[in-house]
Amino acid sequence: MILREDRKDFDAAVQAFLTVVGRYHDKVRAALDSHRTAFQQSFVAEFLPRWTEAPPEYMTRWGNQPDEDSLKLELANRANEVFETMLAFEPPSVRLVEKNVSPSNVEDPRFLSRLRSIMERRRVPKAIIDSLFSSGEAAPEQGELLPNR
């Protein structure tokens, strides 16, 4: 639960967290990207012998017999495509789900006990806690505007 007067600080903390998440995403992408050349070399080394024996159909379609350099170039291009696909992940999303406190929550002693405990740990002033947990009647039981019972 957030007190209204704390909402501005909460929103600022959420924005700061979003900034951290964005930086984290950028750092992960950069760390992965630093392995691009090694991945490409390993990819070419792994598939070149197989492609030398049996080049892909699209490379031999018109009677061409690809040489080792053209096979390496094609494999490097494929490795880059695979690597780009790997880097095309979305940043983590941050979603706030606001929930209202229902009358049944306010009537539940376990909810109230946990809420009071959290507020005390967070050093919410006692006067605020007492005002939130006090109960009174909305209108007097008897008065000049109410009929006598």
Side-chain angles (χ1 to χ4, degrees):
M1 295 191 66
I2 302 169
L3 296 173
R4 276 188 213 109
E5 53 264 17
D6 293 339
R7 182 60 193 235
K8 188 176 179 182
D9 292 339
F10 175 76
D11 289 340
V14 169
Q15 287 306 312
F17 181 67
L18 287 169
T19 301
V20 168
V21 167
R23 279 195 221 134
Y24 171 77
H25 178 254
D26 293 342
K27 295 285 185 185
V28 168
R29 285 180 51 93
L32 288 172
D33 199 36
S34 72
H35 297 284
R36 182 185 299 267
T37 302
F39 175 78
Q40 186 181 53
Q41 291 170 348
S42 143
F43 193 92
V44 170
E46 176 74 26
F47 289 100
L48 184 60
R50 295 177 195 165
W51 278 32
T52 302
E53 283 182 29
E57 187 269 329
Y58 69 88
M59 292 186 78
T60 60
R61 184 177 304 151
W62 291 285
N64 295 332
Q65 188 56 39
D67 61 0
E68 187 172 304
D69 288 338
S70 63
L71 290 172
K72 283 182 178 179
L73 181 62
E74 182 62 21
L75 282 167
N77 289 337
R78 290 284 186 95
N80 277 331
E81 289 172 8
V82 168
F83 208 84
E84 284 302 320
T85 301
M86 185 175 64
L87 289 179
F89 59 92
E90 295 293 322
S93 63
V94 176
R95 187 170 61 103
L96 297 178
V97 179
E98 293 187 17
K99 297 190 175 193
N100 291 325
V101 176
S102 70
S104 61
N105 291 123
V106 177
E107 293 170 359
D108 182 355
R110 292 176 302 157
F111 173 81
L112 293 175
S113 172
R114 285 188 221 136
L115 179 59
R116 180 182 286 274
S117 174
I118 290 168
M119 291 176 82
E120 288 169 350
R121 276 189 308 223
R122 300 238 170 111
R123 308 279 192 265
V124 174
K126 184 171 176 6
I128 292 175
I129 295 172
D130 290 344
S131 73
L132 292 173
F133 287 89
S134 68
S135 61
E137 300 187 17
E141 286 187 36
Q142 291 186 338
E144 49 189 66
L145 298 176
L146 296 174
N148 290 334
R149 291 189 193 175

